[in-house]
Every structure is written in C-alpha cells, then in structure tokens.
Amino acid sequence: MALFILPVSLMMPAWSADKKETRQREAQRRTQQAIKQAQSRTAELEQANANLGRKLKEQEQRANEAQQNLDGFSRKNKRLADDYAKEQAKAIDLEARLKEAENNLGQARAELADISAAQLEMQRHLKTMTVEKTALDDTLASCSGKNEQLYQFGRELINHVERPEAFTSILRAEPFTQIKRVELENIFQDYRDSLDQNRLKPLSAHSVNPK
C-alpha cells in the first residue's frame, strides 16, 4: 500500500502541472479564439461601417440631388406662379376691356337708335316741309300770276291815261281839277314806281330745288 501511494503521490504534482498547463492552453486557445472572433467582428463592423459610410454618402448625394431638384422645382414653381399671376392679370385686364367694349357697344347702339329716330323724324319733317313747300309754291305761283296781272293792268291803265288824246282831255279838265301837267306826270311816275316796286320777281329766281 505504501508502495502504491508513493508513486501516486509522486505523480500528483506532475498531473497537477499538466492539468494546469492544459487549462492555460485552453484559456489561451479561448483567448485567441475570442481575439479572432473579436477581430472578425471588428472586421465585420468595419465593413458594415464602410458600407454604412458608402450608403450615407449615397444618401447624402441623393439628398443633395433631391435638394437640387427641389430647388429647381421651387424655382420652376415660382416662375409658373409668376406666369400665372401675369396671365391672371391679363385675363382681368381683358375682361375689363371686354366689359368696357360691351358698354361702348351698348352706348353706340343707343346712340344709333337715337340717330335713326332723329333721321326718321327728320325725314317726316322734310316730307312735311316738302308738302308745305309744294303748297307754298302753288300759292306763290298763284300770287305771282295775280301780281303780274295787276302789274300789267296798272301799266296798261297808266299807258292808257298817258295817251295823247286821254292826256289832252285831262288837261282840258284842268280848270275843273286844278291839276297841272307836271303834277300829272309826277303822279303817273309815282304809280309806275309803285308798280315796279310791288312787282314780284319770276318764280325761277325764288325757287331752290332741295337736294
């Protein structure tokens, strides 16, 4: 028994040393494995970070492009808004002009109606004046004829009185009438002047044909 225990007791330190060395190797292996895993994880993280960096740059580039597009759209929208405002102002101005033209047209139609009514009234008045002028011309012609007859009658009467035989008979009656030859001649001349002054001119000199 003592012989068995002695070898065992001698082997205990060696086994303990081997076990310790095994544990150290295992720990070292695990540490190296952990380091490798950490390195691998770090590489993965770095790769993921690099990918995220690229994606971030891409997103930033897309964001810049989107911002540029948005700025372009904003400028285009502003131009469209300005153009719309101008077109709207033109439409309002055109509508105002159209309304003014309609008012002017209505006023022109009213004035034309007034002119047409005035023209009709003028035509009626002219027709009435034409009828009156015709009647007046007839009356004037009648008066002129009668005036001419009276003129001729007066001239014939004076001529008849101024005949030598008639004039001599008047002179013979002078002691009764107390009229002298010169006075008789003056009376006859006054009558002739009165006849000439009251004689109407021919109708052709008075009449004016209306156009």
Side-chain angles (χ1 to χ4, degrees):
M1 187 68 179
L3 292 175
F4 177 74
I5 292 172
L6 180 61
V8 173
S9 60
L10 291 174
M11 291 176 61
M12 286 290 293
W15 182 78
S16 296
D18 292 338
K19 187 175 181 180
K20 183 177 180 181
E21 184 179 355
T22 300
R23 285 199 301 272
Q24 289 178 349
R25 284 198 301 269
E26 181 65 22
Q28 185 178 2
R29 185 184 66 79
R30 290 179 179 176
T31 301
Q32 290 177 352
Q33 186 176 4
I35 291 171
K36 289 181 179 180
Q37 290 178 354
Q39 290 176 346
S40 177
R41 182 62 179 170
T42 300
E44 291 177 356
L45 291 174
E46 290 177 352
Q47 184 65 33
N49 187 32
N51 293 333
L52 288 175
R54 286 195 301 273
K55 290 181 179 180
L56 180 61
K57 290 182 180 181
E58 292 176 358
Q59 292 295 330
E60 289 178 351
Q61 185 176 359
R62 291 177 182 176
N64 291 330
E65 292 177 356
Q67 184 64 41
Q68 292 177 357
N69 293 332
L70 181 60
D71 294 339
F73 289 149
S74 297
R75 290 191 297 270
K76 186 176 181 180
N77 186 35
K78 187 177 183 304
R79 287 196 301 269
L80 291 176
D82 294 338
D83 293 340
Y84 175 76
K86 292 179 181 178
E87 293 299 327
Q88 189 175 16
K90 290 180 180 179
I92 293 173
D93 181 65
L94 182 61
E95 185 177 0
R97 291 184 180 180
L98 180 61
K99 187 175 181 180
E100 183 179 1
E102 290 177 351
N103 293 333
N104 292 335
L105 180 60
Q107 185 177 359
R109 287 177 177 173
E111 292 177 355
L112 181 61
D114 293 339
I115 292 173
S116 298
Q119 187 177 10
L120 291 175
E121 181 65 24
M122 182 64 70
Q123 289 177 354
R124 287 193 293 269
H125 184 63
L126 181 60
K127 186 176 181 181
T128 302
M129 290 180 63
T130 302
V131 173
E132 293 178 354
K133 182 180 181 299
T134 301
L136 183 61
D137 288 341
D138 294 340
T139 303
L140 183 61
S142 178
C143 292
S144 179
K146 293 178 180 179
N147 178 264
E148 185 65 23
Q149 290 177 1
L150 289 174
Y151 176 78
Q152 293 298 333
F153 178 76
R155 294 290 296 186
E156 290 176 359
L157 181 60
I158 293 174
N159 292 333
H160 178 72
V161 173
E162 284 184 331
R163 288 176 183 175
E165 60 274 13
F167 196 72
T168 301
S169 61
I170 293 175
L171 290 178
R172 287 177 183 176
E174 185 177 356
F176 301 98
T177 59
Q178 301 296 319
I179 298 176
K180 297 179 180 180
R181 184 184 183 88
V182 176
E183 293 177 352
L184 288 174
E185 290 177 353
N186 290 334
I187 290 173
F188 294 151
Q189 185 62 40
D190 290 339
Y191 275 114
R192 277 193 295 268
D193 293 340
S194 179
L195 287 173
D196 290 337
Q197 290 177 0
N198 291 287
R199 185 184 184 186
L200 295 177
K201 294 181 180 180
L203 292 177
S204 59
H206 289 282
S207 301
V208 177
N209 293 327
K211 295 182 180 180

